[in-house]
Amino acid sequence: HRPPQSVILPKRKKSEIYIPSSGEVEILLEAAKGTSIEIPIMFAAFCGLRRGEIAALTWDDVDLRKKEVHITKAIGSSDHGLVVKSPKSYAGYRTVGIPDRLVLVLASLRSEGKPLIAISINAFDKTFSRALRGANLPHFRFHDLRHYFASVLLTLGIPDMYVIKIIGHSSTDMLKRTYQHVMKEAEEGYLRKINEEFSVK
């Protein structure tokens, strides 16, 4: 018998991460206003939450007075279908601040007696894609809103260790891999500030 020929698979291409601009996020939010995907978009873009974390949220997880959301669970797949799970790591358990803009929307929603998240995780992608088309924006993933959030924090000069604490990662490795160009721009900004500080007055 001839030995079987080895099959050489093509190298897997590294997927490009698309980070939407602040302008695109604003256009998207306007298109999603009043729909079931509006609140999930805001939690992803303004708090950096993952899709599964957002889908698992209830009003018990939100403290509007303190302007905080507590992440203690997420919806994920299992052999028995979708289930509510604990975060994958200790870093996943966290408390994230809610910006005033989102607090106002949530307060209005709560006063009307509506559920916090009115969309199932299975409908996220389809509804999100519909919102993108309605806003006439290029297609990108719901998860890219989380990249947007992290990139904004880095651009603002928020320390890496605080960024990973907010987004629920245990190390800065992901930041270095994913946001190299954003971190480079922030670094150049720091160098300009240092130069200005020590320049001749």
Side-chain angles (χ1 to χ4, degrees), residues 9-17:
L9 297 173
K11 287 184 178 179
R12 186 177 178 182
K13 290 183 179 179
K14 185 180 178 182
S15 59
E16 289 294 320
I17 291 173

Side-chain angles (χ1 to χ4, degrees), residues 56-69:
L57 288 178
T58 66
W59 284 117
D60 290 338
D61 301 312
V62 175
D63 189 328
L64 293 180
R65 186 178 60 82
K66 291 184 177 180
K67 301 178 183 178
E68 295 176 342
V69 57

Side-chain angles (χ1 to χ4, degrees), residues 32-43:
K33 199 168 186 178
T35 70
S36 60
I37 199 68
E38 179 187 15
I39 299 301
I41 288 173
M42 296 181 87
F43 269 123

Side-chain angles (χ1 to χ4, degrees), residues 142-172:
F142 183 85
H143 190 78
D144 291 328
L145 292 173
R146 183 169 148 85
H147 291 314
Y148 163 77
F149 173 76
S151 69
V152 168
L153 297 194
L154 291 169
T155 302
L156 290 173
I158 307 297
D160 297 357
M161 292 307 294
Y162 191 63
V163 174
I164 65 168
K165 180 181 177 182
I166 295 173
I167 63 178
H169 278 274
S170 55
S171 78
T172 59

Side-chain angles (χ1 to χ4, degrees), residues 77-156:
S77 58
S78 73
D79 294 338
H80 306 289
L82 293 175
V83 295
V84 177
K85 298 180 173 181
S86 299
K88 290 181 179 178
S89 67
Y90 181 75
Y93 290 93
R94 63 200 191 280
T95 296
V96 180
I98 305 174
D100 291 344
R101 179 178 179 181
L102 179 50
V103 168
L104 288 172
V105 178
L106 294 178
S108 175
L109 201 67
R110 192 168 198 170
S111 68
E112 295 170 9
K114 294 182 178 178
L116 177 58
I117 305 299
I119 182 173
S120 71
I121 193 169
N122 288 330
F124 265 53
D125 289 342
K126 193 173 183 178
T127 311
F128 181 68
S129 294
R130 191 183 305 128
L132 285 173
R133 290 195 299 272
N136 199 28
L137 290 171
H139 177 75
F140 57 87
R141 303 170 306 161
F142 183 85
H143 190 78
D144 291 328
L145 292 173
R146 183 169 148 85
H147 291 314
Y148 163 77
F149 173 76
S151 69
V152 168
L153 297 194
L154 291 169
T155 302
L156 290 173

